[in-house]
Amino acid sequence: MANIILGGIEGGTTHSNVVLYNGNGEKLVQVAGPHTNHWVLGMEECQKRINKMVEQAKYEANVPLQKPLNALGMSLSGCEQEETNEQLKEELQKNFPNLSSNYVVCSDTVGSIAAALENGGIVLIAGTGSNCLLHNPDGSVHRCGGWGHIMGDEGAAWWISHKAIKVCFDEQDNFAQPPHPTKVVWKVILEHYDIKNRFDLLDHCYSRFDKSHFAGLCKLLAKAAIQGDKLSQWLFSEAGRLLARHVTAVLPQVDSKLLSEARGLPVVCVGSVWLSWEYLKPGFIAQLKETAPKLQKLSLLRLTTSMATGAVYLAAKDINVDLPRNYTDNYKIFFTYDHDQT
């Protein structure tokens, strides 16, 4: 089994990771790379980046570049449609024949669940953008979000950044009063975008808009929250409410088997916004109590491995390789919601 080489890619909207495993379940290498969202890059550039990252991983793992992987799982942001997923597979096979013999393409939400939960559950992504997917034990799938910043991304870094700016703009326009003083947040905004006034910010909102850079403000707001700024803390609490609403949106479709688990409904939490759980928590809990009064128990899980590992598991399953794995090694529970005790 050691001669079987399986690959997995975690592709977000800011960065990607590639891992290679052998058939014994041993990780050979992990390599970081740029983002691989084909809606942003175009299909051709996406394929080039995938090939380049896998070639680098092969090189570091001493796998000949001309030797195709047995299978490559790709858990990528933007890969929600079967038609474009098939296009990606077909063009990779045609344009890069030495890359892999088989392919599995799915969204980043699917890879996250595959890495941690053998029998299904919910994954809730809150990175630059947001997305939620429920995978039931019977294979049925239900989703909420994942529509990008124009139509969604509620509770994610982009949303928090945008909300902070809008609160400040509204106050300065005398359009709406903020819930807390804006002095600290406005100072952080000016520093992050290297601007002097609101008019300078329009360039970053329109003609030179870069979603990753725009969302990067969230990291500074997280620091301000830690330092005690009330408005920053409020922004994260509001984001927590919106993330909880993703869960309650799919809750009616959750299989009773998932609800009856000892740890409660499992939710895999992916993305850097979850690092600010202390400030998300008040809004998250309040929203669950308001809109999911019958939900008794829920556990929030943080992956201790890359979702690229989940993509490897999917690749192994696709070619009927019984890859050794221990799911409990791949996550930690960082919060348990108990309706009667929380």
Side-chain angles (χ1 to χ4, degrees), residues 122-127 129-132 144 153-157 159-160 235-250 267 269-277 279-281 283-285 287-288 291 298 300:
I122 292 176
V123 61
L124 184 51
I125 294 178
S130 62
N131 198 357
C132 178
C144 174
D153 281 344
E154 292 90 348
W159 182 91
I160 293 170
L235 288 166
F236 278 94
S237 182
E238 289 298 291
R241 281 186 170 274
L242 293 172
L243 293 174
R245 283 177 60 182
H246 284 78
V247 175
T248 60
V250 299
V267 180
C269 301
V270 178
S272 58
V273 172
W274 291 106
L275 297 175
S276 298
W277 170 244
Y279 304 105
L280 297 171
K281 181 178 177 180
F284 190 92
I285 292 175
Q287 190 66 38
L288 287 184
T291 54
L298 171 148
L300 301 184

Short mmCIF file of all heavy atoms in Angstrom, two decimals, residues 122-127 129-132 144 153-157 159-160 235-250 267 269-277 279-281 283-285 287-288 291 298 300:
data_model
loop_
_atom_site.label_atom_id
_atom_site.label_comp_id
_atom_site.label_asym_id
_atom_site.label_seq_id
_atom_site.Cartn_x
_atom_site.Cartn_y
_atom_site.Cartn_z
N ILE A 122 -22.64 18.97 10.38
CA ILE A 122 -22.68 20.31 9.77
C ILE A 122 -21.27 20.87 9.73
O ILE A 122 -20.49 20.69 10.66
CB ILE A 122 -23.59 21.25 10.59
CG1 ILE A 122 -25.05 20.81 10.47
CG2 ILE A 122 -23.44 22.70 10.13
CD1 ILE A 122 -26.01 21.63 11.33
N VAL A 123 -20.95 21.56 8.66
CA VAL A 123 -19.74 22.36 8.62
C VAL A 123 -20.16 23.81 8.44
O VAL A 123 -21.06 24.12 7.65
CB VAL A 123 -18.78 21.93 7.49
CG1 VAL A 123 -19.41 22.06 6.12
CG2 VAL A 123 -17.48 22.76 7.55
N LEU A 124 -19.54 24.70 9.21
CA LEU A 124 -19.85 26.13 9.16
C LEU A 124 -18.55 26.89 8.96
O LEU A 124 -17.71 26.96 9.86
CB LEU A 124 -20.55 26.55 10.46
CG LEU A 124 -21.04 28.00 10.57
CD1 LEU A 124 -21.88 28.40 9.36
CD2 LEU A 124 -21.85 28.17 11.85
N ILE A 125 -18.39 27.42 7.77
CA ILE A 125 -17.17 28.13 7.41
C ILE A 125 -17.33 29.62 7.67
O ILE A 125 -18.32 30.24 7.24
CB ILE A 125 -16.80 27.88 5.94
CG1 ILE A 125 -16.45 26.40 5.73
CG2 ILE A 125 -15.64 28.77 5.49
CD1 ILE A 125 -16.12 26.03 4.29
N ALA A 126 -16.37 30.20 8.37
CA ALA A 126 -16.34 31.64 8.60
C ALA A 126 -14.90 32.10 8.47
O ALA A 126 -14.17 32.25 9.45
CB ALA A 126 -16.90 31.99 9.97
N GLY A 127 -14.48 32.27 7.24
CA GLY A 127 -13.15 32.79 6.94
C GLY A 127 -13.34 34.14 6.29
O GLY A 127 -14.04 35.01 6.81
N GLY A 129 -15.06 34.49 3.63
CA GLY A 129 -16.50 34.37 3.39
C GLY A 129 -17.10 33.35 4.32
O GLY A 129 -16.42 32.77 5.16
N SER A 130 -18.41 33.09 4.17
CA SER A 130 -19.08 32.12 5.02
C SER A 130 -19.90 31.15 4.17
O SER A 130 -20.31 31.47 3.06
CB SER A 130 -19.99 32.81 6.04
OG SER A 130 -21.01 33.56 5.40
N ASN A 131 -20.13 29.97 4.74
CA ASN A 131 -20.88 28.93 4.05
C ASN A 131 -21.26 27.87 5.08
O ASN A 131 -20.54 27.66 6.07
CB ASN A 131 -20.03 28.29 2.95
CG ASN A 131 -20.86 27.53 1.93
OD1 ASN A 131 -22.07 27.42 2.06
ND2 ASN A 131 -20.20 27.01 0.91
N CYS A 132 -22.38 27.21 4.88
CA CYS A 132 -22.84 26.17 5.80
C CYS A 132 -23.41 25.01 5.00
O CYS A 132 -24.15 25.21 4.03
CB CYS A 132 -23.92 26.74 6.72
SG CYS A 132 -24.62 25.54 7.90
N CYS A 144 -26.83 26.32 3.34
CA CYS A 144 -27.24 27.71 3.56
C CYS A 144 -26.02 28.59 3.36
O CYS A 144 -24.98 28.35 3.98
CB CYS A 144 -27.81 27.90 4.97
SG CYS A 144 -28.18 29.62 5.39
N ASP A 153 -22.15 35.86 2.62
CA ASP A 153 -20.95 35.95 3.47
C ASP A 153 -21.24 36.52 4.86
O ASP A 153 -20.35 37.07 5.53
CB ASP A 153 -19.84 36.76 2.80
CG ASP A 153 -19.08 35.95 1.76
OD1 ASP A 153 -19.21 34.70 1.78
OD2 ASP A 153 -18.38 36.54 0.93
N GLU A 154 -22.49 36.37 5.31
CA GLU A 154 -22.86 36.89 6.63
C GLU A 154 -22.04 36.22 7.73
O GLU A 154 -21.86 35.01 7.74
CB GLU A 154 -24.35 36.64 6.89
CG GLU A 154 -25.27 37.44 6.01
CD GLU A 154 -25.64 36.73 4.72
OE1 GLU A 154 -25.00 35.70 4.40
OE2 GLU A 154 -26.57 37.20 4.03
N GLY A 155 -21.56 37.04 8.66
CA GLY A 155 -20.80 36.54 9.80
C GLY A 155 -19.34 36.29 9.54
O GLY A 155 -18.59 35.96 10.46
N ALA A 156 -18.90 36.44 8.30
CA ALA A 156 -17.51 36.18 7.94
C ALA A 156 -16.66 37.44 8.08
O ALA A 156 -17.15 38.52 8.42
CB ALA A 156 -17.44 35.65 6.51
N ALA A 157 -15.37 37.31 7.80
CA ALA A 157 -14.44 38.43 7.94
C ALA A 157 -14.83 39.59 7.03
O ALA A 157 -14.73 40.76 7.42
CB ALA A 157 -13.01 37.97 7.64
N TRP A 159 -17.86 40.35 6.05
CA TRP A 159 -19.05 40.97 6.60
C TRP A 159 -18.70 41.84 7.81
O TRP A 159 -19.20 42.97 7.94
CB TRP A 159 -20.06 39.90 7.03
CG TRP A 159 -21.33 40.47 7.57
CD1 TRP A 159 -22.46 40.77 6.86
CD2 TRP A 159 -21.60 40.83 8.93
NE1 TRP A 159 -23.42 41.30 7.70
CE2 TRP A 159 -22.92 41.34 8.98
CE3 TRP A 159 -20.87 40.77 10.11
CZ2 TRP A 159 -23.50 41.79 10.16
CZ3 TRP A 159 -21.44 41.22 11.28
CH2 TRP A 159 -22.74 41.72 11.31
N ILE A 160 -17.85 41.35 8.69
CA ILE A 160 -17.46 42.10 9.88
C ILE A 160 -16.75 43.39 9.48
O ILE A 160 -17.01 44.47 10.03
CB ILE A 160 -16.55 41.24 10.79
CG1 ILE A 160 -17.35 40.07 11.37
CG2 ILE A 160 -15.95 42.08 11.92
CD1 ILE A 160 -16.50 39.02 12.08
N LEU A 235 -19.42 43.94 17.18
CA LEU A 235 -19.37 43.46 15.79
C LEU A 235 -19.23 41.94 15.74
O LEU A 235 -19.91 41.27 14.96
CB LEU A 235 -18.21 44.12 15.04
CG LEU A 235 -18.37 45.60 14.69
CD1 LEU A 235 -17.03 46.20 14.28
CD2 LEU A 235 -19.40 45.78 13.58
N PHE A 236 -18.37 41.40 16.59
CA PHE A 236 -18.18 39.95 16.60
C PHE A 236 -19.40 39.24 17.18
O PHE A 236 -19.76 38.15 16.72
CB PHE A 236 -16.91 39.58 17.36
CG PHE A 236 -15.67 39.72 16.53
CD1 PHE A 236 -14.92 40.90 16.56
CD2 PHE A 236 -15.24 38.69 15.71
CE1 PHE A 236 -13.79 41.04 15.77
CE2 PHE A 236 -14.11 38.82 14.92
CZ PHE A 236 -13.38 40.00 14.95
N SER A 237 -20.04 39.85 18.17
CA SER A 237 -21.25 39.25 18.73
C SER A 237 -22.35 39.19 17.67
O SER A 237 -23.08 38.18 17.56
CB SER A 237 -21.72 40.04 19.94
OG SER A 237 -22.86 39.43 20.52
N GLU A 238 -22.47 40.25 16.88
CA GLU A 238 -23.45 40.26 15.79
C GLU A 238 -23.11 39.21 14.74
O GLU A 238 -24.00 38.55 14.18
CB GLU A 238 -23.50 41.65 15.15
CG GLU A 238 -24.12 42.71 16.03
CD GLU A 238 -25.58 42.41 16.35
OE1 GLU A 238 -26.41 42.48 15.41
OE2 GLU A 238 -25.88 42.10 17.51
N ALA A 239 -21.81 39.04 14.47
CA ALA A 239 -21.39 37.98 13.54
C ALA A 239 -21.75 36.61 14.09
O ALA A 239 -22.17 35.72 13.35
CB ALA A 239 -19.89 38.08 13.30
N GLY A 240 -21.61 36.44 15.40
CA GLY A 240 -21.98 35.18 16.04
C GLY A 240 -23.45 34.86 15.84
O GLY A 240 -23.83 33.71 15.61
N ARG A 241 -24.29 35.88 15.93
CA ARG A 241 -25.72 35.68 15.69
C ARG A 241 -25.96 35.15 14.27
O ARG A 241 -26.76 34.22 14.06
CB ARG A 241 -26.48 37.00 15.87
CG ARG A 241 -26.76 37.38 17.31
CD ARG A 241 -27.64 38.62 17.37
NE ARG A 241 -28.12 38.88 18.72
CZ ARG A 241 -29.20 38.34 19.25
NH1 ARG A 241 -29.94 37.50 18.53
NH2 ARG A 241 -29.57 38.62 20.48
N LEU A 242 -25.29 35.76 13.31
CA LEU A 242 -25.50 35.37 11.92
C LEU A 242 -24.97 33.97 11.64
O LEU A 242 -25.56 33.21 10.86
CB LEU A 242 -24.82 36.38 10.99
CG LEU A 242 -25.46 37.77 11.01
CD1 LEU A 242 -24.62 38.76 10.21
CD2 LEU A 242 -26.87 37.71 10.43
N LEU A 243 -23.88 33.59 12.27
CA LEU A 243 -23.35 32.24 12.09
C LEU A 243 -24.32 31.21 12.68
O LEU A 243 -24.55 30.15 12.09
CB LEU A 243 -21.97 32.12 12.73
CG LEU A 243 -20.88 32.95 12.04
CD1 LEU A 243 -19.57 32.89 12.82
CD2 LEU A 243 -20.65 32.49 10.60
N ALA A 244 -24.90 31.54 13.83
CA ALA A 244 -25.89 30.64 14.43
C ALA A 244 -27.12 30.51 13.54
O ALA A 244 -27.75 29.44 13.47
CB ALA A 244 -26.29 31.14 15.82
N ARG A 245 -27.46 31.58 12.83
CA ARG A 245 -28.63 31.53 11.94
C ARG A 245 -28.40 30.56 10.79
O ARG A 245 -29.36 29.98 10.26
CB ARG A 245 -28.96 32.93 11.42
CG ARG A 245 -29.68 33.80 12.45
CD ARG A 245 -29.93 35.20 11.95
NE ARG A 245 -30.76 35.22 10.75
CZ ARG A 245 -31.08 36.35 10.11
NH1 ARG A 245 -30.63 37.52 10.57
NH2 ARG A 245 -31.82 36.31 9.04
N HIS A 246 -27.14 30.38 10.38
CA HIS A 246 -26.85 29.37 9.35
C HIS A 246 -27.23 27.98 9.87
O HIS A 246 -27.81 27.17 9.14
CB HIS A 246 -25.36 29.38 9.00
CG HIS A 246 -24.94 30.53 8.13
ND1 HIS A 246 -24.75 31.79 8.62
CD2 HIS A 246 -24.64 30.58 6.80
CE1 HIS A 246 -24.36 32.59 7.64
NE2 HIS A 246 -24.30 31.88 6.52
N VAL A 247 -26.89 27.72 11.13
CA VAL A 247 -27.21 26.42 11.72
C VAL A 247 -28.71 26.23 11.82
O VAL A 247 -29.26 25.17 11.45
CB VAL A 247 -26.56 26.28 13.13
CG1 VAL A 247 -27.00 24.97 13.79
CG2 VAL A 247 -25.04 26.33 13.02
N THR A 248 -29.41 27.24 12.32
CA THR A 248 -30.86 27.10 12.48
C THR A 248 -31.57 27.01 11.13
O THR A 248 -32.67 26.44 11.04
CB THR A 248 -31.44 28.27 13.29
OG1 THR A 248 -31.18 29.51 12.63
CG2 THR A 248 -30.83 28.31 14.68
N ALA A 249 -30.94 27.53 10.07
CA ALA A 249 -31.55 27.44 8.73
C ALA A 249 -31.62 26.00 8.23
O ALA A 249 -32.58 25.61 7.57
CB ALA A 249 -30.76 28.30 7.74
N VAL A 250 -30.60 25.20 8.55
CA VAL A 250 -30.58 23.81 8.08
C VAL A 250 -31.12 22.84 9.13
O VAL A 250 -31.30 21.65 8.85
CB VAL A 250 -29.15 23.37 7.66
CG1 VAL A 250 -28.65 24.23 6.53
CG2 VAL A 250 -28.18 23.40 8.84
N VAL A 267 -20.90 20.27 14.79
CA VAL A 267 -20.70 21.36 13.83
C VAL A 267 -19.20 21.60 13.70
O VAL A 267 -18.54 22.01 14.67
CB VAL A 267 -21.41 22.66 14.28
CG1 VAL A 267 -21.17 23.77 13.25
CG2 VAL A 267 -22.89 22.42 14.47
N CYS A 269 -16.28 23.80 12.66
CA CYS A 269 -16.09 25.25 12.46
C CYS A 269 -14.75 25.51 11.78
O CYS A 269 -13.70 25.20 12.34
CB CYS A 269 -16.16 25.97 13.80
SG CYS A 269 -17.72 25.70 14.68
N VAL A 270 -14.82 26.09 10.60
CA VAL A 270 -13.62 26.31 9.79
C VAL A 270 -13.47 27.79 9.49
O VAL A 270 -14.45 28.47 9.19
CB VAL A 270 -13.71 25.51 8.47
CG1 VAL A 270 -12.48 25.77 7.60
CG2 VAL A 270 -13.86 24.02 8.74
N GLY A 271 -12.25 28.30 9.56
CA GLY A 271 -12.00 29.70 9.21
C GLY A 271 -11.47 30.51 10.38
O GLY A 271 -11.74 30.20 11.55
N SER A 272 -10.74 31.56 10.07
CA SER A 272 -10.04 32.34 11.09
C SER A 272 -10.98 33.14 11.99
O SER A 272 -10.59 33.51 13.10
CB SER A 272 -9.04 33.29 10.42
OG SER A 272 -9.70 34.16 9.51
N VAL A 273 -12.19 33.42 11.55
CA VAL A 273 -13.12 34.18 12.40
C VAL A 273 -13.42 33.41 13.68
O VAL A 273 -13.63 34.01 14.74
CB VAL A 273 -14.41 34.50 11.64
CG1 VAL A 273 -15.47 35.10 12.57
CG2 VAL A 273 -14.13 35.48 10.50
N TRP A 274 -13.39 32.09 13.62
CA TRP A 274 -13.66 31.28 14.82
C TRP A 274 -12.60 31.43 15.90
O TRP A 274 -12.84 31.07 17.06
CB TRP A 274 -13.81 29.81 14.44
CG TRP A 274 -15.04 29.51 13.66
CD1 TRP A 274 -15.14 29.24 12.32
CD2 TRP A 274 -16.39 29.48 14.15
NE1 TRP A 274 -16.44 29.04 11.96
CE2 TRP A 274 -17.24 29.18 13.07
CE3 TRP A 274 -16.94 29.67 15.42
CZ2 TRP A 274 -18.62 29.08 13.21
CZ3 TRP A 274 -18.33 29.57 15.56
CH2 TRP A 274 -19.14 29.28 14.47
N LEU A 275 -11.45 31.99 15.56
CA LEU A 275 -10.42 32.24 16.56
C LEU A 275 -10.88 33.30 17.56
O LEU A 275 -10.30 33.42 18.65
CB LEU A 275 -9.11 32.69 15.88
CG LEU A 275 -8.46 31.66 14.94
CD1 LEU A 275 -7.25 32.27 14.25
CD2 LEU A 275 -8.07 30.41 15.71
N SER A 276 -11.91 34.04 17.19
CA SER A 276 -12.47 35.06 18.09
C SER A 276 -13.75 34.55 18.76
O SER A 276 -14.68 35.32 19.02
CB SER A 276 -12.76 36.35 17.30
OG SER A 276 -11.58 36.89 16.76
N TRP A 277 -13.78 33.27 19.06
CA TRP A 277 -14.98 32.66 19.63
C TRP A 277 -15.46 33.36 20.89
O TRP A 277 -16.67 33.49 21.13
CB TRP A 277 -14.73 31.18 19.92
CG TRP A 277 -15.82 30.54 20.72
CD1 TRP A 277 -15.73 30.00 21.96
CD2 TRP A 277 -17.20 30.40 20.33
NE1 TRP A 277 -16.96 29.52 22.38
CE2 TRP A 277 -17.89 29.75 21.39
CE3 TRP A 277 -17.92 30.76 19.18
CZ2 TRP A 277 -19.24 29.48 21.34
CZ3 TRP A 277 -19.28 30.48 19.13
CH2 TRP A 277 -19.93 29.84 20.20
N TYR A 279 -15.76 36.32 21.56
CA TYR A 279 -16.60 37.47 21.24
C TYR A 279 -17.76 37.10 20.32
O TYR A 279 -18.77 37.81 20.28
CB TYR A 279 -15.74 38.58 20.64
CG TYR A 279 -14.61 38.95 21.56
CD1 TYR A 279 -13.30 38.53 21.30
CD2 TYR A 279 -14.86 39.63 22.75
CE1 TYR A 279 -12.27 38.81 22.19
CE2 TYR A 279 -13.84 39.91 23.64
CZ TYR A 279 -12.55 39.51 23.36
OH TYR A 279 -11.53 39.77 24.24
N LEU A 280 -17.65 35.99 19.60
CA LEU A 280 -18.77 35.47 18.82
C LEU A 280 -19.81 34.83 19.73
O LEU A 280 -21.01 34.86 19.45
CB LEU A 280 -18.28 34.40 17.83
CG LEU A 280 -17.30 34.81 16.73
CD1 LEU A 280 -16.79 33.56 16.03
CD2 LEU A 280 -17.96 35.73 15.73
N LYS A 281 -19.34 34.26 20.81
CA LYS A 281 -20.14 33.39 21.68
C LYS A 281 -21.44 34.02 22.18
O LYS A 281 -22.50 33.37 22.10
CB LYS A 281 -19.27 32.93 22.86
CG LYS A 281 -19.97 32.01 23.83
CD LYS A 281 -18.99 31.58 24.94
CE LYS A 281 -19.66 30.70 25.98
NZ LYS A 281 -18.70 30.30 27.05
N GLY A 283 -23.49 36.33 21.01
CA GLY A 283 -24.49 36.41 19.96
C GLY A 283 -24.91 35.05 19.45
O GLY A 283 -26.09 34.81 19.15
N PHE A 284 -23.95 34.13 19.35
CA PHE A 284 -24.23 32.78 18.86
C PHE A 284 -25.22 32.08 19.78
O PHE A 284 -26.22 31.51 19.32
CB PHE A 284 -22.91 32.00 18.78
CG PHE A 284 -23.01 30.68 18.07
CD1 PHE A 284 -22.76 30.59 16.71
CD2 PHE A 284 -23.35 29.51 18.75
CE1 PHE A 284 -22.84 29.37 16.04
CE2 PHE A 284 -23.44 28.29 18.11
CZ PHE A 284 -23.19 28.23 16.74
N ILE A 285 -24.96 32.12 21.08
CA ILE A 285 -25.84 31.46 22.05
C ILE A 285 -27.22 32.12 22.08
O ILE A 285 -28.26 31.44 22.09
CB ILE A 285 -25.20 31.48 23.45
CG1 ILE A 285 -23.96 30.59 23.47
CG2 ILE A 285 -26.20 31.03 24.51
CD1 ILE A 285 -23.19 30.65 24.78
N GLN A 287 -28.76 33.69 19.74
CA GLN A 287 -29.51 33.36 18.53
C GLN A 287 -30.07 31.95 18.58
O GLN A 287 -31.20 31.70 18.18
CB GLN A 287 -28.61 33.53 17.30
CG GLN A 287 -29.35 33.44 15.97
CD GLN A 287 -30.31 34.59 15.77
OE1 GLN A 287 -30.02 35.73 16.13
NE2 GLN A 287 -31.48 34.31 15.20
N LEU A 288 -29.27 31.00 19.08
CA LEU A 288 -29.76 29.63 19.20
C LEU A 288 -30.97 29.57 20.13
O LEU A 288 -31.96 28.88 19.85
CB LEU A 288 -28.67 28.70 19.72
CG LEU A 288 -27.53 28.33 18.76
CD1 LEU A 288 -26.59 27.33 19.43
CD2 LEU A 288 -28.06 27.75 17.46
N THR A 291 -34.05 31.19 18.16
CA THR A 291 -34.59 30.59 16.94
C THR A 291 -34.52 29.06 16.91
O THR A 291 -35.00 28.45 15.96
CB THR A 291 -33.83 31.14 15.71
OG1 THR A 291 -32.43 30.96 15.88
CG2 THR A 291 -34.13 32.62 15.53
N LEU A 298 -25.47 20.80 21.19
CA LEU A 298 -24.69 21.03 19.99
C LEU A 298 -23.22 21.16 20.38
O LEU A 298 -22.91 21.76 21.40
CB LEU A 298 -25.18 22.30 19.29
CG LEU A 298 -24.42 22.90 18.13
CD1 LEU A 298 -25.41 23.59 17.17
CD2 LEU A 298 -23.40 23.93 18.61
N LEU A 300 -19.34 22.32 19.00
CA LEU A 300 -18.53 22.99 17.99
C LEU A 300 -17.15 22.35 17.95
O LEU A 300 -16.47 22.24 18.98
CB LEU A 300 -18.41 24.48 18.30
CG LEU A 300 -19.73 25.27 18.38
CD1 LEU A 300 -19.43 26.75 18.60
CD2 LEU A 300 -20.57 25.08 17.11
#
